[in-house]
């Protein structure tokens, strides 16, 4: 039966080559199976008839049974007519309006005939009217069979070719009528029965033409679960294979470097969360299997310190370590931080990025080969072929979402056994997304700020309130603090935004003549940017006016105020990252979100969330719900990779957990995929892997 779903869509009655071309280009629908998985985005209950006197103008849709009393035609311009039909059902009168096709309307529909009429009601001249309604002869309609009418998303190109939502519904009916025998199952009874899932065949029929909301809900549950289950089965199997195949270096020795750093150089006592994470990492590294761990923690939670202490463990056991960052600025920041932490300890830390050239580059490459470079900090330049380590045992990947899986795998080839991998992110990832994006990684979380840190107070102001804003800034600087003022720089309108930044900078200089200001944006030369940044870091300037270029990699504990202008133009995770630039010292810090008074409901919600909480995970959950996984900062590529047709990572957390648990049970029972009772699942997974889902990106 699966063969019928593989048939070319052009062979379905009502499609043909021209429509196939449009369906393929606009929706990616090539086969019967593709069409079956093009799900409705909403449903309207067509089983209920309203009377005209029950109607209100607020109803999104209404269905009535009425008789056409008469037609009227009005000239609306050159050879154009508006047609109005007056209809009654005995309880009142409603007008049906068409703004074109006058001849067709008056010849298709007859007076003194009963029709079922469906559409969106509005009020015009104190009378209800429906523009361009759907109309069918009353004696040809069986209401009991109408149920919930599906609505499908269509594009302008499709509509011009006559492929409307109703036309897709018709094609779907034709297709389902052709499936004479039930579709074969893709989940075994031991999964379907305990979760009370309907059969696959029932799910497909009821998702397109449910008679009741209940039928629709059960169909969605089944199809969502199946989609998520196979994604999770793939991830869990990949992780299990990886653990079985790759032995890890065993780091059992806690030696001189680690102990010396811990007892003499630790800048502040470790938090409980940092200690817990180091214990989890040590357990992995002593287990004999390769560590693949994701370390999540808000900006300023002390992830880099944990990474450094783990690197020292690697060095104590005779291996080199490296840290890979997504940008040169961040790599340089890591280098400065590590050298600051290590001070005069006998550890050679070097940088390898695009700007390290000539003799300096050669010296780094030779030091890696002979083992004298113990810690390497760099960008993706690290994975290039000329880079050869003597004994690479541990790799830290910062902000993993900027690196593909292939790049991570390339790092493994730099070593005899794959090195232990610690992936760090300051973008808190909701659990449901982490289970899918990073399903092959164990997760550690630093959910505690270092001692003495006070939560940043976030305040929302309108751009008309500059007097009180400037007063607050002045007061903070007079108390010895420094201030960031961030302008948006969004690519589409870069010229306009840069002009805003330049003009804004001049206006701020005039507003604060008594203070010194620095200015930084992405269009500046790296050297100029560095000079301006350093002035601010050293306290020579009190205000840093910048674009989001400062989102990553600036650490100025004395800066206590972050002002974000046009805050409504930023996403939640970006606002949270910017806010993380302050609150790094012991002083109370503030984040001021400045916006226009006219805010969209979504912008207002974002700003309210920022004012209500400092918890990065709560913010990430909210961001996921507002924007979906494909839009989250840095996860767009991964979000697209899932190509989920019906499940929603943001809203189906419980189902993801359910699917994950089932997948884990199966892998625990059959790690090598040999048992006969699971063959249906492995076959189906094989079929799915041939589809256009980028399975590599998922694992």
């Amino acid at each position: 039966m699966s063969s019928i779903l593989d048939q070319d869509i052009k062979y379905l009655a009502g499609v043909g080559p021209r429509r196939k071309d449009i369906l393929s280009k606009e929706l990616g629908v090539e086969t019967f199976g593709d069409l079956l998985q093009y799900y409705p985005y909403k449903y309207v209950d067509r089983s209920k008839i309203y009377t005209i006197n029950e109607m209100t103008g607020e109803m999104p849709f209404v269905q009535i049974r009425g008789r056409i009393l008469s037609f009227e035609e009005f000239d609306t311009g050159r050879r154009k007519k508006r047609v109005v039909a007056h209809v009654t059902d005995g309880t009142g009168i409603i007008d049906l309006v068409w703004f074109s096709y006058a001849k067709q309307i008056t010849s298709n529909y007859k007076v003194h005939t009963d029709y079922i009429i469906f559409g969106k009601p509005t009020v015009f001249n104190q009378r209800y009217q429906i523009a361009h309604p759907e109309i069918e002869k009353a004696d040809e309609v069986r209401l009991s069979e109408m149920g919930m009418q599906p609505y499908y998303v269509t594009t302008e190109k499709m509509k011009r070719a006559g492929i409307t939502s109703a036309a897709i519904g018709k094609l779907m009916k034709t297709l389902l009528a052709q499936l004479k025998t039930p579709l074969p199952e893709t989940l075994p009874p031991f999964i379907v029965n305990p979760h009370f899932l309907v059969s696959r065949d029932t799910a497909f029929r009821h998702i397109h033409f449910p008679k009741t909301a209940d039928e629709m809900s059960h169909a969605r549950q089944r199809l969502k679960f199946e989609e998520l289950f196979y994604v999770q089965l793939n991830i869990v199997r990949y992780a299990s294979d990886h653990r079985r195949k790759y032995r890890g270096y065993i780091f059992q020795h806690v030696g001189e470097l680690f102990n010396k750093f811990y007892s003499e150089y630790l800048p502040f006592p470790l938090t409980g969360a940092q200690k817990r994470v180091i214990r989890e990492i040590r357990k992995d590294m002593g287990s004999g299997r390769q560590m693949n761990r994701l370390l999540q923690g808000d900006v300023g939670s002390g992830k880099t310190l944990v990474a450094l202490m783990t690197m020292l463990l690697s060095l104590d056991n005779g291996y080199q370590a490296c840290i890979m960052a997504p940008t040169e600025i961040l790599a340089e920041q890591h280098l400065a931080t590590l050298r600051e932490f290590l001070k005069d300890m006998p550890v050679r830390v070097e940088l390898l990025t695009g700007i390290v050239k000539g003799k300096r580059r050669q010296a780094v490459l030779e030091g890696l080969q002979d083992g004298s470079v113990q810690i390497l900090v760099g960008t993706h330049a690290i994975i290039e072929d000329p880079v050869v380590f003597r004994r690479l045992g541990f790799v830290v990947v910062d902000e993993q979402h900027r690196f593909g899986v292939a790049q991570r795998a390339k790092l493994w080839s730099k070593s005899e056994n794959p090195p232990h991998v610690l992936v760090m992110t300051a973008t808190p990832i909701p659990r449901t997304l982490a289970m899918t994006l990073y399903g092959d990684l164990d997760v550690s979380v630093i959910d505690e700020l270092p001692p003495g840190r006070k939560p940043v107070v976030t305040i929302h102001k309108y751009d008309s309130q500059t007097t009180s804003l400037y007063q607050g800034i002045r007061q903070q600087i007079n108390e010895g603090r420094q201030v960031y003022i961030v302008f948006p720089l969004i690519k589409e309108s870069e010229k306009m935004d840069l002009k805003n930044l330049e003009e804004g900078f001049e206006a701020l200089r005039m507003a604060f003549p008594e203070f010194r200001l620095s200015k930084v944006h992405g269009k500046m030369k790296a050297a100029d940017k560095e000079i301006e940044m350093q002035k601010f870091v050293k306290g020579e300037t009190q205000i840093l006016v910048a674009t989001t270029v400062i989102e990553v990699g600036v650490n100025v504990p004395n800066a206590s105020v972050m002002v974000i202008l046009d805050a409504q133009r930023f996403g939640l995770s970006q606002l949270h990252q910017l806010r993380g630039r302050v609150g790094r010292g012991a002083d109370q810090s503030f984040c001021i979100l400045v916006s226009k008074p006219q805010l969209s409901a979504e912008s207002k919600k974002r700003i309210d969330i920022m004012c209500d909480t400092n918890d990065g995970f709560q913010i990430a959950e909210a961001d996921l719900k507002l924007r979906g996984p494909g839009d989250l900062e840095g996860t767009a590529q991964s979000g697209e990779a899932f190509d989920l047709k019906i499940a929603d990572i943001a809203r189906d957390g419980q189902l993801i957990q359910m699917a994950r648990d089932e997948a884990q049970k199966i892998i625990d029972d059959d790690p090598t995929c040999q048992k006969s009772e699971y063959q249906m699942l492995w076959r189906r997974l094989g079929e799915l892997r041939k589809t256009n889902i980028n399975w590599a990106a998922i694992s």
Side-chain angles (χ1 to χ4, degrees):
M1 174 53 67
S2 65
S3 59
I4 192 168
L5 295 185
D6 297 331
Q7 277 195 35
D8 192 318
I9 194 68
K10 73 181 174 195
Y11 298 118
L12 183 68
V15 179
R18 193 177 73 86
R19 279 185 154 191
K20 183 246 163 100
D21 193 45
I22 292 166
L23 287 170
S24 169
K25 282 181 183 155
E26 298 296 288
L27 305 180
V29 167
E30 304 274 353
T31 64
F32 286 14
D34 293 340
L35 183 65
L36 206 52
Q37 288 185 80
Y38 191 63
Y39 301 119
Y41 73 96
K42 71 170 183 184
Y43 304 83
V44 173
D45 188 354
R46 293 292 301 268
S47 61
K48 182 168 169 52
I49 294 280
Y50 290 88
T51 57
I52 292 170
N53 67 355
E54 284 179 314
M55 282 170 55
T56 68
E58 281 74 58
M59 289 172 141
F61 294 98
V62 71
Q63 182 167 259
I64 60 168
R65 180 188 174 116
R67 178 170 293 191
I68 297 179
L69 297 173
S70 61
F71 284 105
E72 275 188 276
E73 291 185 17
F74 302 90
D75 284 324
T76 55
R78 196 164 153 238
R79 291 159 62 187
K80 282 191 176 175
K81 280 187 163 64
R82 173 165 56 96
V83 180
V84 178
H86 306 298
V87 171
T88 183
D89 66 352
T91 72
I93 290 181
I94 187 170
D95 293 337
L96 311 182
V97 186
W98 293 268
F99 296 97
S100 47
Y101 311 115
K103 262 195 181 139
Q104 282 164 270
I105 300 302
T106 49
S107 61
N108 283 355
Y109 306 120
K110 307 294 178 200
V111 290
H112 310 309
T113 305
D114 285 1
Y115 291 97
I116 300 293
I117 297 153
F118 176 79
K120 180 170 175 46
T122 54
V123 179
F124 180 71
N125 281 346
Q126 298 179 318
R127 196 134 115 189
Y128 285 114
Q129 67 170 33
I130 298 176
H132 292 269
E134 289 180 33
I135 298 189
E136 293 174 84
K137 274 191 176 170
D139 56 12
E140 290 174 8
V141 172
R142 295 172 69 173
L143 284 173
S144 60
E145 286 177 10
M146 288 194 76
M148 314 272 289
Q149 183 171 318
Y151 280 76
Y152 299 88
V153 172
T154 53
T155 65
E156 280 310 309
K157 232 180 198 168
M158 289 166 68
K159 284 173 192 155
R160 283 201 297 274
I163 310 176
T164 58
S165 171
I168 291 178
K170 245 183 194 163
L171 293 176
M172 212 63 84
K173 274 192 172 135
T174 306
L175 173 56
L176 288 168
Q178 272 189 246
L179 304 176
K180 298 277 193 291
T181 54
L183 289 167
E185 253 313 336
T186 43
L187 292 175
F190 61 78
I191 290 178
V192 170
N193 297 340
H195 294 299
F196 304 101
L197 299 174
V198 297
S199 73
R200 182 170 177 242
D201 187 75
T202 301
F204 274 124
R205 292 178 193 277
H206 287 180
I207 196 72
H208 292 291
F209 301 106
K211 297 235 177 358
T212 64
D214 227 25
E215 278 190 357
M216 181 266 289
S217 162
H218 284 120
R220 283 177 78 80
Q221 182 86 348
R222 157 66 203 239
L223 295 168
K224 281 182 176 195
F225 177 85
E226 178 169 340
E227 196 167 53
L228 292 168
F229 169 75
Y230 279 107
V231 167
Q232 292 300 334
L233 187 64
N234 186 63
I235 291 167
V236 174
R237 189 184 71 164
Y238 170 86
S240 164
D241 283 355
H242 189 87
R243 287 188 185 114
R244 278 185 304 106
K245 279 182 198 158
Y246 295 110
R247 295 208 53 71
Y249 297 118
I250 298 178
F251 294 174
Q252 284 178 323
H253 183 54
V254 180
E256 191 184 332
L257 290 174
F258 185 95
N259 286 325
K260 188 177 176 64
F261 180 81
Y262 187 75
S263 56
E264 296 174 32
Y265 290 84
L266 206 58
F268 44 75
L270 294 177
T271 62
Q274 285 173 311
K275 287 178 182 170
R276 183 186 69 239
V277 170
I278 290 171
R279 277 198 303 273
E280 288 167 352
I281 290 170
R282 279 203 56 204
K283 190 176 171 197
D284 282 356
M285 288 179 156
S287 69
R289 66 178 179 84
Q290 186 216 4
M291 176 176 82
N292 267 304
R293 188 166 282 281
L294 172 68
L295 175 57
Q296 292 186 257
D298 253 338
V299 175
S301 61
K303 296 184 298 297
T304 311
L305 185 59
V306 167
L308 172 61
M309 292 178 75
T310 312
M311 289 186 210
L312 294 176
L313 272 177
S314 182
L315 270 52
D316 277 339
N317 283 273
Y319 292 89
Q320 293 158 294
C322 76
I323 179 164
M324 192 158 87
T327 64
E328 290 190 356
I329 283 186
L330 195 51
E332 286 167 35
Q333 180 81 30
H334 278 314
L335 180 77
T337 305
L338 295 183
R339 284 182 171 166
E340 172 65 24
F341 276 145
L342 291 165
K343 294 193 168 63
D344 57 358
M345 281 185 70
V347 176
R348 186 177 169 194
V349 185
E350 293 290 354
L351 180 73
L352 190 67
T353 66
I355 57 168
V356 179
K357 293 187 166 71
K359 284 183 181 170
R360 191 175 154 211
R361 190 180 191 86
Q362 197 50 42
V364 172
L365 294 176
E366 285 169 9
L368 288 170
Q369 269 187 306
D370 65 26
S372 61
V373 172
Q374 293 151 291
I375 296 177
L376 181 67
V377 181
T379 54
H380 56 269
I382 291 176
I383 60 176
E384 290 166 6
D385 292 338
V387 181
V388 179
F389 290 83
R390 183 162 174 265
R391 283 186 98 193
L392 178 64
F394 177 54
V395 175
V396 179
V397 182
D398 195 18
E399 296 302 344
Q400 146 78 14
H401 57 250
R402 317 275 178 99
F403 296 106
V405 175
Q407 288 171 302
R408 227 201 302 166
K410 210 165 175 193
L411 270 171
W412 297 346
S413 65
K414 301 272 176 198
S415 193
E416 193 181 329
N417 279 344
H420 295 296
V421 176
L422 183 69
V423 172
M424 299 199 303
T425 179
T427 308
I429 300 157
R431 216 172 49 81
T432 54
L433 192 56
M435 262 197 287
T436 313
L437 272 184
Y438 301 111
D440 59 322
L441 305 179
D442 299 309
V443 180
S444 288
V445 178
I446 300 182
D447 47 10
E448 231 179 301
L449 285 177
R453 292 271 177 96
K454 296 187 177 109
V456 178
V457 172
T458 305
I459 300 160
H460 177 212
K461 281 186 181 289
Y462 293 117
D463 50 16
S464 54
Q465 298 172 291
T466 46
T467 311
S468 69
L469 174 65
Y470 289 177
Q471 237 171 337
I473 290 173
R474 199 167 263 113
Q475 187 185 333
Q476 285 289 309
I477 297 175
N478 286 333
E479 286 174 17
R481 320 267 184 271
Q482 288 165 281
V483 176
Y484 296 102
I485 298 180
V486 176
F487 282 78
L489 186 61
I490 314 283
K491 273 188 184 150
E492 289 90 332
S493 52
E494 226 165 61
K495 283 189 179 136
M496 184 188 86
D497 286 331
L498 252 151
K499 184 165 166 274
N500 287 354
L501 177 84
E502 300 292 353
E503 287 173 0
F505 182 71
E506 288 309 317
L508 287 163
R509 272 205 344 201
M510 288 166 73
F512 298 105
E514 71 271 43
F515 301 133
R516 290 187 300 281
L517 284 72
S518 288
K519 175 176 63 181
V520 176
H521 58 77
K523 293 281 181 195
M524 290 167 75
K525 287 182 182 159
D528 295 342
K529 206 170 5 183
E530 189 55 33
I531 289 166
E532 290 295 299
M533 288 279 217
Q534 282 309 315
K535 281 187 196 168
F536 188 67
V537 170
K538 290 173 184 162
E540 292 166 17
T541 55
Q542 288 82 40
I543 298 174
L544 177 62
V545 180
T547 60
T548 54
V549 77
I550 60 155
E551 186 185 339
V552 172
V554 185
N555 185 10
V556 184
N558 190 49
S560 66
V561 181
M562 168 64 70
V563 178
I564 304 172
L565 302 174
D566 277 332
Q568 75 280 357
R569 293 179 66 185
F570 294 86
L572 262 177
S573 66
Q574 214 176 13
L575 289 172
H576 184 60
Q577 287 279 343
L578 286 167
R579 176 168 63 184
R581 298 290 118 216
V582 295
R584 292 171 162 252
D587 300 311
Q588 179 60 65
S589 291
F590 301 89
C591 175
I592 320 292
L593 306 175
V594 182
S595 77
K596 296 181 167 37
Q598 301 82 21
L599 288 175
S600 70
E602 193 174 302
S603 297
K604 182 158 184 359
K605 201 166 182 185
R606 277 203 303 271
I607 287 171
D608 287 347
I609 289 164
M610 287 296 295
C611 293
D612 288 346
T613 181
N614 281 288
D615 184 325
F617 288 93
Q618 274 187 35
I619 287 164
E621 288 284 359
D623 204 17
L624 186 60
K625 287 201 168 80
L626 282 173
R627 299 203 284 162
D631 296 325
L632 279 193
E633 197 74 16
T635 62
Q637 151 203 7
S638 317
E640 287 157 14
F642 303 135
D643 191 28
L644 296 176
K645 303 238 182 324
I646 192 165
D648 179 338
I649 288 174
R651 292 174 178 82
D652 294 328
Q654 273 183 304
L655 272 180
I656 292 175
Q657 188 63 61
M658 235 163 81
R660 176 69 162 213
D661 292 346
E662 284 296 340
Q664 192 63 60
K665 270 193 267 183
I666 287 155
I667 291 295
D668 290 346
D669 190 41
D670 185 19
T672 54
C673 312
Q674 298 300 317
K675 291 192 175 179
S676 57
E677 62 260 45
Y678 302 123
Q679 288 316 298
M680 170 203 275
L681 300 177
W682 308 128
R683 261 198 315 276
R684 180 65 180 152
L685 192 57
E687 287 165 15
L688 287 169
R689 289 179 72 101
K690 289 176 193 153
T691 66
N692 59 354
I693 296 182
N694 182 355
W695 290 90
I698 292 175
S699 55

